[in-house]
């Protein structure tokens, strides 16, 4: 039976940062990752998205931060929801990020996660968190993780159709409080988005096979360190995965260089702080921003040090946050 579209629904989803990174796809059409990943969901960075399906509308309309954007990529995603619900209604989508969009702060993770939840609810669909994760993954690989709060693992899966490529929580946010300081080194949108970056990767890095082959070991080591609440090991594995990811990006032909001078200076500042006795580790995604992971009681000190690094424009402090949830 077709689901009945109801009134518009607003959902909030928080951004996440991978400690063990995902890069590369085993199926581009279904957006299936070549490797699993482990992330933390952030309370300080989120997207609110309102979706309504309307019988009379001729096409989907999408606003981000009050500005109309090209709806085409979102129509593809909304079609997945319409197909499940058995409806043809066009959608009105309004989305707001409380942080810069498309600048390596994972707005696609929070954005597609919020859109999946608000869209399904607005279409009258009852969906499990796992189904939402599978759906969100089709918008953006990292979005599958933002359905859940705390510390989250995304499974690569083996199934051709992607039924086993979903995220699951490892620990709730309250189970092990961690802090994150984001150092913004560039406010502009990133030059090569992750989809384009991964497409360029396809068989064009000599390191790609090694990256995929080592992923299960890296994930297992991180799972163990998290279960033991061993922060030093979590931090060391986080830096290792970040540097390995960037080694892979640098070795793609042509090489992808996401760092600027302030990115590199921030990495050194974090290591210097650590050498001086503060347990803090860095990670960086497909953009120039640096994320420092530490205990919540060290975030103010870490933010002060990063704010002093030449080229750092701003810092933001965050803790671990909840999974996607409706706001209405
Ligand atoms: O979710 P996507 O397709 O934008 O890819 C995210 C890739 C990284 O942020 C670099 C790593 C990760 O696992 O989040």
């Amino acid at each position: 039976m077709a689901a009945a579209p109801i009134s518009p629904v607003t959902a909030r989803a928080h951004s996440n940062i991978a400690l063990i990174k995902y890069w590369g796809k085993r199926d581009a059409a279904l957006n299936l990752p070549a490797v699993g990943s482990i992330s933390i969901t952030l309370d300080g960075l989120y997207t609110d998205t309102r979706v309504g399906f309307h019988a009379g509308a001729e096409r989907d309309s999408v606003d981000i931060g009050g500005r109309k954007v090209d709806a085409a990529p979102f129509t593809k995603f909304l079609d997945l929801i319409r197909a499940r619900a058995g409806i043809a209604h066009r959608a009105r989508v309004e989305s707001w990020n409380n942080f810069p969009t498309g600048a390596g702060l994972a707005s696609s993770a929070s954005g597609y996660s919020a859109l999946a939840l608000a869209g399904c609810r607005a279409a009258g669909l009852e969906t499990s968190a796992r189904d939402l994760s599978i759906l969100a993954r089709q918008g953006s690989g990292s979005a599958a993780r933002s359905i859940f709060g705390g510390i989250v693992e995304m499974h690569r899966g083996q199934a051709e159709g992607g039924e086993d490529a979903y995220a699951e929580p490892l620990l709730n946010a309250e189970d092990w409080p961690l802090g994150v300081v984001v150092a913004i080194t560039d406010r502009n949108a990133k030059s090569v988005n992750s989809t384009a970056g991964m497409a360029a990767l396809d068989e064009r890095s000599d390191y790609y096979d090694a990256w995929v082959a080592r992923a299960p070991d890296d994930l297992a080591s991180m799972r163990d360190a998290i279960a033991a609440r061993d922060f030093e090991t979590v931090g060391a594995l986080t830096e290792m995965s970040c540097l390995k990811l960037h080694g892979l990006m640098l070795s793609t032909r042509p090489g992808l260089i996401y760092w600027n001078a302030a990115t590199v200076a921030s990495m050194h500042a974090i290591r210097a702080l650590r050498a001086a006795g503060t347990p803090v580790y860095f990670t960086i995604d497909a953009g120039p921003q640096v994320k420092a992971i530490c205990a919540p009681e060290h975030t103010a000190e870490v933010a002060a040090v990063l704010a002093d690094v030449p080229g750092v424009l701003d810092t933001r402090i965050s803790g671990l946050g909840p999974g996607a949830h409706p706001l209405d």
Side-chain angles (χ1 to χ4, degrees):
M1 207 184 70
I6 54 169
S7 29
V9 173
T10 307
R12 174 170 295 176
H14 293 253
S15 170
N16 74 73
I17 291 172
L19 305 179
I20 297 292
K21 305 292 188 190
Y22 135 68
W23 196 251
K25 300 185 198 285
R26 66 182 171 90
D27 183 314
L30 288 173
N31 208 26
L32 293 172
V35 295
S37 51
I38 293 178
S39 61
I40 50 179
T41 303
L42 305 179
D43 66 356
L45 306 176
Y46 58 81
T47 303
D48 289 345
T49 299
R50 182 178 165 86
V51 181
F53 288 98
H54 302 285
E58 274 182 20
R59 56 182 69 85
D60 295 321
S61 77
V62 181
D63 286 15
I64 299 180
R67 281 214 193 133
K68 200 156 277 314
V69 300
D70 176 17
F74 301 98
T75 290
K76 226 178 110 203
F77 187 78
L78 290 161
D79 283 345
L80 299 171
I81 297 175
R82 282 187 280 257
R84 286 180 190 204
I87 59 172
H89 302 58
R90 298 294 104 184
R92 166 126 189 77
V93 177
E94 292 157 281
S95 198
W96 304 266
N97 294 320
N98 79 333
F99 59 94
T101 305
L105 290 176
S107 56
S108 66
S110 51
Y112 274 106
S113 176
L115 182 59
L117 177 57
C120 284
R121 292 281 179 107
L125 284 170
E126 285 296 328
T127 33
S128 67
R130 179 172 295 182
D131 280 345
L132 282 173
S133 179
I134 288 175
L135 176 64
R137 185 207 74 228
Q138 292 170 76
S140 150
S142 53
R145 302 185 306 235
S146 272
I147 295 296
F148 301 99
I151 306 186
V152 179
E153 174 161 10
M154 171 72 196
H155 302 288
R156 169 198 193 274
Q158 306 294 331
E160 266 181 39
E163 305 81 61
D164 54 356
Y166 51 78
E168 278 185 308
L170 291 177
L171 285 184
N172 292 323
E174 319 68 74
D175 292 342
W176 193 22
L178 294 173
V180 176
V181 179
V182 181
I184 315 269
T185 65
D186 186 347
R187 290 189 209 280
N188 298 315
K190 56 196 171 193
S191 49
V192 181
N193 72 30
S194 50
T195 305
M198 289 187 220
L201 175 72
D202 240 5
E203 298 184 13
R204 278 192 270 151
S205 164
D206 296 342
Y207 301 158
Y208 185 61
D209 290 346
W211 165 258
V212 174
R214 284 288 298 179
D217 288 352
D218 293 346
L219 289 162
S221 304
M222 183 58 99
R223 237 179 267 128
D224 289 349
I226 289 167
R229 313 282 202 279
D230 175 352
F231 184 70
E232 269 71 31
T233 306
V234 166
L237 290 167
T238 297
E239 281 196 4
M240 178 279 301
S241 180
C242 161
L243 292 172
K244 198 150 70 157
L245 169 73
H246 285 271
L248 185 64
M249 291 161 159
L250 290 167
S251 68
T252 299
R253 281 168 274 203
L256 291 168
I257 306 171
Y258 283 109
W259 300 345
N260 60 32
T263 313
V264 177
S266 298
M267 292 155 75
H268 287 298
I270 288 166
R271 286 201 162 173
L273 196 53
R274 190 159 83 232
T278 304
V280 55
Y281 297 83
F282 61 75
T283 189
I284 305 154
D285 291 302
Q289 327 301 6
V290 177
K291 292 105 182 189
I293 320 282
C294 58
E297 59 268 29
H298 291 133
T299 50
E301 179 197 4
V302 171
V305 166
L306 287 174
D308 267 355
V309 171
V312 169
L313 307 173
D314 200 1
T315 58
R316 287 184 84 130
I317 294 178
S318 179
L320 300 198
H325 53 280
L327 288 181
D328 301 318

